[in-house]
């Protein structure tokens, strides 16, 4: 039986296809020089072999960060999946166009285009040490610097949206995918995630490639799936989480320009959600501000600014187990709707909102 390293890598000395590590670093530096006001490059950490892991922030500095929603986009966790790096570079380039000025005014977008540069150097799925960075996010914390770098940035952002970009190795010239994790039962999350994924799929298909979408059901049950990057983002921040897969193989794939075009199109469809208001919600922006419950009865994040609502969302979400009951009193009399909330946890410092929907005008007790 071959070892996992040999099975996942080309023979030592071979190199991944473009964009290589040098291609990524050079392009990131070029973009930062082109628009230093709207791009900031930070080093989130260093790989096991000492290569830099960049976190590239794109936003409009004329607008306070307190007014912006946060997005984290990660690519290159698997070193032999070139299309993730390719799409990340093209996305950053296109976000600087005039057509997307409003997005950068309303959102702070951080792109990590090459999380596993050691794997990229060897055209290796995992790190050279055999660890898959996307599976190194257990509740006990990461074990390698690559996944630690992702968590450092995620913890600083508490992102409203988290995107993990991958490629379907050994499945070149097939279809692309938009996937999302299992969500908490009896919330709107499954409905919302599927709706958002469907719009991303439609945008990708309009851009030129067939797509499918479904939950991330190929993972085995816990504890394995609890260690994925996507589960980590949902578990800790109630991020809207999407995992994308591009059709790619070393032997044959779609043209890089088409792969990049399609990948950017679906991400732009996702980002558009942050520029509008869901018709059933009070605040504009991403609909994860509905923290617990359904549109009929829910606990909502509150605050005058995006930053305040983010603090409220994360605090409510992290105390979700302390909400023993959230339900209307039934049967409802014709002139009144009563909401029962049973909370057994520490005081909430950032506020909590109650959402009720009822026909006509009613008093609320």
């Amino acid at each position: 039986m071959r070892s996992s390293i040999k099975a996942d890598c080309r023979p030592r000395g071979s190199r991944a296809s473009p964009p290589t590590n040098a291609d990524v670093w050079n392009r990131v530096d070029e973009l930062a020089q082109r628009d230093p006001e709207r791009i900031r490059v930070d080093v989130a950490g260093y790989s096991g072999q000492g290569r830099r892991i960049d976190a590239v922030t794109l936003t409009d500095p004329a607008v306070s960060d307190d007014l912006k929603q946060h997005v984290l986009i990660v690519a290159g966790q698997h070193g032999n999946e070139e299309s993730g790096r390719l799409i990340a570079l093209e996305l950053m380039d296109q976000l600087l166009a005039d057509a997307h000025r409003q997005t950068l005014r309303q959102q702070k977008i951080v792109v990590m285009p090459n999380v596993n540069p050691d794997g990229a150097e060897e055209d290796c799925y995992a790190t050279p040490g055999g660890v898959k960075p996307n599976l190194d996010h257990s509740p006990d914390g990461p074990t390698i610097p690559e996944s630690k770098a992702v968590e450092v940035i995620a913890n600083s952002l508490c992102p409203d949206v988290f995107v993990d970009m991958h490629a379907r190795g050994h499945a070149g010239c097939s279809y692309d995918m938009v996937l999302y994790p299992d969500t908490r039962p009896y919330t709107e999350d499954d409905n919302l995630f599927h709706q958002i994924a469907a719009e991303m799929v439609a945008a990708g298909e309009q851009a030129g490639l067939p797509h499918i979408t479904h939950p991330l059901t190929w993972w085995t049950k816990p504890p394995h799936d609890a260690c994925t990057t996507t589960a980590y983002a949902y578990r800790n921040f109630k991020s809207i989480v999407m995992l994308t897969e591009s059709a790619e193989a070393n032997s044959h794939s779609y043209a890089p320009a088409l792969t990049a075009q399609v990948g950017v199109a679906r991400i732009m469809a996702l980002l558009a959600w942050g520029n509008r208001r869901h018709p059933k919600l009070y605040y504009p922006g991403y609909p994860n501000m509905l923290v617990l419950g359904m549109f009929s009865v829910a606990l909502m994040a509150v605050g005058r600014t995006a930053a305040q609502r983010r603090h409220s969302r994360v605090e409510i979400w992290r105390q979700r187990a302390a909400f023993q009951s959230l339900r209307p009193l039934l049967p409802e009399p014709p002139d009144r709707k009563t909401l029962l909330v049973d909370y057994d946890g520490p005081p909430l410092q950032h506020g909590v909102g109650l959402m009720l929907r009822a026909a006509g005008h009613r008093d609320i007790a």
Side-chain angles (χ1 to χ4, degrees):
M1 179 180 292
R2 294 181 300 175
S3 72
S4 60
I5 299 302
K6 290 182 179 178
D8 284 340
C9 301
R10 288 182 182 180
R12 185 167 296 277
S14 64
R15 295 293 179 262
S17 302
T20 63
N21 286 329
D23 294 332
V24 172
W25 295 324
N26 290 339
R27 187 60 179 149
V28 165
D29 292 342
E30 289 172 6
L31 290 170
Q33 292 173 12
R34 187 176 97 191
D35 198 333
E37 288 191 353
R38 292 189 294 169
I39 290 188
R40 187 184 77 242
V41 181
D42 296 304
V43 178
Y46 291 89
S47 69
Q49 295 181 353
R51 296 181 174 90
R52 85 186 208 203
I53 301 172
D54 289 335
V56 185
T57 300
L58 299 96
T59 197
D60 187 339
V63 179
S64 169
D65 279 353
D66 284 348
L67 303 178
K68 295 169 183 167
Q69 299 157 94
H70 289 176
V71 176
L72 177 56
I73 300 173
V74 171
Q77 294 209 75
H78 297 152
N80 63 350
E81 296 177 352
E82 291 87 22
S83 60
R85 302 192 294 270
L86 177 72
I87 294 167
L89 295 179
E90 182 66 19
L91 174 67
M92 291 187 290
D93 185 73
Q94 292 198 26
L95 281 171
L96 297 176
D98 289 342
H100 302 295
R101 283 189 174 274
Q102 188 62 25
T103 295
L104 295 189
R105 288 179 60 82
Q106 294 182 214
Q107 302 184 47
K108 180 178 180 178
I109 301 170
V110 178
V111 181
M112 300 180 73
N114 191 19
V115 170
N116 183 6
D118 296 348
E121 192 69 18
E122 298 294 338
D123 201 23
C124 184
Y125 183 82
T127 66
V131 179
K132 301 170 184 176
N134 67 313
L135 302 184
D136 187 41
H137 295 278
S138 78
D140 295 329
T143 63
I144 59 172
E146 291 82 358
S147 45
K148 288 179 182 178
V150 173
E151 291 200 12
V152 165
I153 299 302
N155 285 322
S156 70
L157 289 174
C158 294
D160 299 277
V161 169
F162 178 87
V163 182
D164 191 7
M165 296 198 296
H166 289 268
R168 298 174 57 238
H170 314 295
C173 293
S174 182
Y175 50 83
D176 285 11
M177 306 171 73
V178 179
L179 311 173
Y180 51 92
D182 288 336
T183 58
R184 179 182 169 89
Y186 211 74
T187 70
E188 292 289 349
D189 293 347
D190 185 68
N191 295 328
L192 288 167
F193 283 23
H194 182 80
Q195 182 180 358
I196 293 168
E199 290 192 12
M200 295 172 68
V201 161
E205 293 203 334
Q206 186 174 8
L209 291 180
H211 280 66
I212 64 171
T213 181
H214 60 73
L216 276 165
T217 52
W218 66 54
W219 302 115
T220 57
K221 294 301 180 183
H224 180 87
D225 63 352
C227 299
T228 65
T229 319
T230 49
Y232 158 78
Y234 183 70
R235 178 177 67 240
N236 284 279
F237 314 113
K238 200 184 186 288
S239 304
I240 293 174
V241 175
M242 294 290 151
L243 185 146
T244 64
E245 296 271 7
S246 298
E248 175 194 304
N250 287 335
S251 59
H252 53 281
S253 296
Y254 292 112
L258 179 59
T259 295
Q261 173 182 298
V262 169
V264 169
R266 59 185 176 236
I267 297 299
M268 291 299 186
L270 169 60
L271 296 178
W273 277 79
N275 297 341
R276 62 184 190 242
R277 183 181 69 83
H278 191 283
K280 293 182 179 179
L281 298 179
Y282 181 77
Y283 296 108
Y286 291 105
N288 61 329
M289 67 190 76
L290 191 161
V291 187
L292 296 173
M294 310 294 286
F295 283 127
S296 57
V297 175
L299 296 182
M300 299 289 299
V302 292
R304 290 179 296 105
T305 67
Q308 290 171 346
R309 295 192 290 274
R310 184 162 42 253
H311 292 317
S312 174
R313 179 193 85 233
V314 171
E315 182 180 44
I316 297 168
W317 181 243
R318 290 180 176 176
Q319 295 299 328
R320 57 191 179 274
F323 288 93
Q324 305 297 317
S325 175
L326 172 64
R327 59 186 176 86
L329 180 63
L330 300 176
E332 295 180 3
D335 62 344
R336 187 170 299 271
K337 190 177 184 77
T338 302
L339 179 61
L340 302 177
V341 181
D342 183 4
Y343 176 70
D344 183 20
L348 298 173
Q349 303 297 318
H350 298 285
V352 57
L354 305 178
M355 176 176 173
L356 302 170
R357 298 184 74 229
H361 298 282
R362 295 186 176 186
D363 294 329
I364 300 175

